[in-house]
Amino acid sequence: MAFRDFCVLLQRTIIISVTMSDEQKPMLTDGLLSPEERYINPYTDFGFKKLFGTEMNKDLLISFLNALFNGTKKEITDVQYLNGEHLGDGYGDRRAVFDVYCKTEDGGRFIVEMQKAEQEYFKDRSIYYSTFAIREQAPKGKKWDYHLEDVYTIGVLNFKFPDGEYPADSYRHEIKLKDVEDNHIFYDKLTFVYLEMPKFNKTEHELETMFDKWMFVLRNLSRLLDRPKALQDRIFQKVFEQAEIAQYSPEERREYEASIKNYWDYYSTMKTAVDKSRAEGRAEGRAEGRAEGRAEGRAEGEAIGRADERIKNARSLKDNGVPLDIIAKSLGLTAEEIEQL
């Protein structure tokens, strides 16, 4: 089977995208929600804001944030939601829109973002977003000594950082400004926390901490049919009550269906862009192979080009969760070769 045919088969049968795991795929039938889908998908704008961005559910956000830091910072007991849309200082300046933006009782600012897919300048975007929470602390028309409250930017990522930046079993990353010479924290009021959700693979029986439980909920909520026994805490009872689609009003269901459609359209656009890039890369590889073939022997050059292409495609498919046996069967590689990529 040619690789192009393999991609078409994947698209038509399991509809795999370059950054989305099976658990987070929306279940749609002719534009309607599948009757099998009982709970909302928290990876959608509607789902994420329903659980974490409303005054009625702020206790869910508080529980999630406390679990995220697991006692390493002062316990959060209350939050005040702030305006999530921020404009620049001047006309025409670029704005920033946060999924969830809040302030704790001690003045700390929290930006909480659900990032659906990898972006080339995602880290730059995180830094840029944090500047709004910093600049707005400057009082207007008053003297100021530059004292700042803590700023936290939290990214719930539905993708893995590229190029194996972190080990395969490391999915929570807390970043601060450090001195590179002695590694001490230079400034502790600016914190970035990223959660690589595709790396979290604990089962219900392996959940030990509240952080484990929240990660499990975010990763699996939309494909669960009932609340697991490991999630009997009162806070999770409310999560499942608020996430149950059947109890939504017709307007809320329409909003959620629109959010699901936007979510799927986004991935379709991303997948098209990646497929196009891969096609261009294959064309370039064939051209280089022909050039090498003319210089050193066409057969040898094309063989090298095909081998390199198989390795590249196998690595990409492996990174995006395609089972090893499917990759091996489709690309003519052994499971051992693929595991070593």
Side-chain angles (χ1 to χ4, degrees):
M1 179 186 295
F3 181 73
R4 179 178 297 177
D5 295 333
F6 170 61
C7 287
V8 172
L9 177 61
L10 281 177
Q11 184 178 21
R12 291 180 178 175
T13 54
I14 63 175
I15 318 178
I16 187 165
S17 74
V18 293
T19 55
M20 182 166 52
S21 58
D22 290 338
E23 294 87 344
Q24 278 74 51
K25 292 173 188 171
M27 294 181 285
L28 297 177
T29 305
D30 296 328
L32 300 176
L33 294 172
S34 165
E36 299 177 358
E37 187 175 7
R38 182 176 180 182
Y39 302 109
I40 57 174
N41 187 337
Y43 287 76
T44 63
D45 290 337
F46 178 94
F48 195 74
K49 292 176 182 177
K50 176 71 174 178
L51 295 179
F52 294 129
T54 63
E55 188 70 27
M56 179 176 64
N57 290 335
K58 70 178 182 179
D59 53 335
L60 304 185
L61 176 63
I62 291 171
S63 174
F64 171 68
L65 293 177
N66 282 328
L68 180 64
F69 291 97
N70 193 28
T72 59
K73 71 176 300 300
K74 181 181 177 182
E75 182 179 5
I76 299 170
T77 59
D78 193 19
V79 296
Q80 174 189 352
Y81 287 102
L82 303 175
N83 183 8
E85 183 171 352
H86 290 255
L87 302 176
D89 293 331
Y91 177 78
D93 286 353
R94 184 171 294 277
R95 69 174 185 170
V97 181
F98 308 142
D99 289 337
V100 175
Y101 183 40
C102 66
K103 180 171 67 173
T104 59
E105 65 272 23
D106 61 0
R109 267 73 167 174
F110 284 81
I111 299 168
V112 188
E113 285 279 300
M114 170 62 73
Q115 185 67 25
K116 302 179 186 69
E118 180 185 345
Q119 294 181 352
E120 183 177 3
Y121 297 109
F122 167 70
K123 294 178 183 178
D124 303 69
R125 180 173 176 263
S126 291
I127 300 297
Y128 174 70
Y129 271 22
S130 71
T131 64
F132 288 88
I134 295 172
R135 289 187 298 165
E136 73 170 19
Q137 295 187 45
K140 298 184 183 298
K142 299 180 181 179
K143 293 181 179 180
W144 185 41
D145 60 3
Y146 291 98
H147 171 78
L148 292 171
E149 302 295 348
D150 294 352
V151 172
Y152 297 87
T153 300
I154 299 167
V156 182
L157 315 181
N158 195 18
F159 63 89
K160 294 182 286 187
F161 282 112
D163 304 322
E165 183 170 355
Y166 291 103
D169 60 349
S170 175
Y171 46 79
R172 183 193 182 278
H173 315 295
E174 184 170 336
I175 292 90
K176 294 181 182 288
L177 295 177
K178 286 190 173 184
D179 187 311
V180 296
E181 294 295 331
D182 60 13
N183 205 38
H184 86 275
I185 296 177
F186 171 75
Y187 188 74
D188 65 355
K189 293 184 180 181
L190 182 61
T191 304
F192 300 86
V193 180
Y194 301 116
L195 305 176
E196 293 183 275
M197 297 306 297
K199 289 184 176 180
F200 183 83
N201 296 310
K202 288 187 177 182
T203 65
E204 175 189 349
H205 304 293
E206 296 174 310
L207 306 180
E208 298 178 355
T209 66
M210 282 295 288
F211 177 62
D212 286 345
K213 295 176 182 180
W214 269 112
M215 290 289 285
F216 183 86
V217 167
L218 291 176
R219 171 96 166 145
N220 299 290
L221 181 60
S222 63
R223 67 192 186 104
L224 295 175
L225 298 179
D226 291 293
R227 179 159 59 114
K229 292 182 179 179
L231 301 176
Q232 293 304 306
D233 308 76
R234 182 176 298 179
I235 196 70
F236 294 115
Q237 178 181 346
K238 183 172 182 179
V239 169
F240 281 84
E241 290 173 353
Q242 292 297 312
E244 189 163 12
I245 299 170
Q247 54 92 22
Y248 290 167
S249 67
E251 181 180 356
E252 287 177 315
R253 284 181 64 91
R254 285 192 294 270
E255 290 179 6
Y256 179 52
E257 289 182 4
S259 187
I260 282 285
K261 183 179 183 301
N262 291 338
Y263 175 72
W264 188 243
D265 287 346
Y266 180 83
Y267 278 104
S268 178
T269 300
M270 292 291 293
K271 185 179 187 304
T272 299
V274 172
D275 285 348
K276 183 177 180 181
S277 176
R278 285 176 176 169
E280 293 173 351
R282 289 195 296 270
E284 182 180 345
R286 286 193 295 269
E288 292 178 355
R290 286 193 294 270
E292 292 178 5
R294 286 191 295 269
E296 302 175 4
R298 180 182 301 273
E300 181 181 354
E302 290 182 352
I304 293 173
R306 286 194 298 270
D308 288 344
E309 183 181 336
R310 282 200 303 271
I311 295 298
K312 184 188 299 182
N313 292 330
R315 182 181 292 113
S316 176
L317 292 171
K318 179 187 175 186
D319 287 345
N320 289 287
V322 177
L324 298 187
D325 58 337
I326 294 180
I327 301 174
K329 184 176 180 180
S330 302
L331 298 181
L333 297 172
T334 66
E336 290 75 14
E337 290 173 327
I338 298 170
E339 288 178 351
Q340 293 175 3
L341 296 179

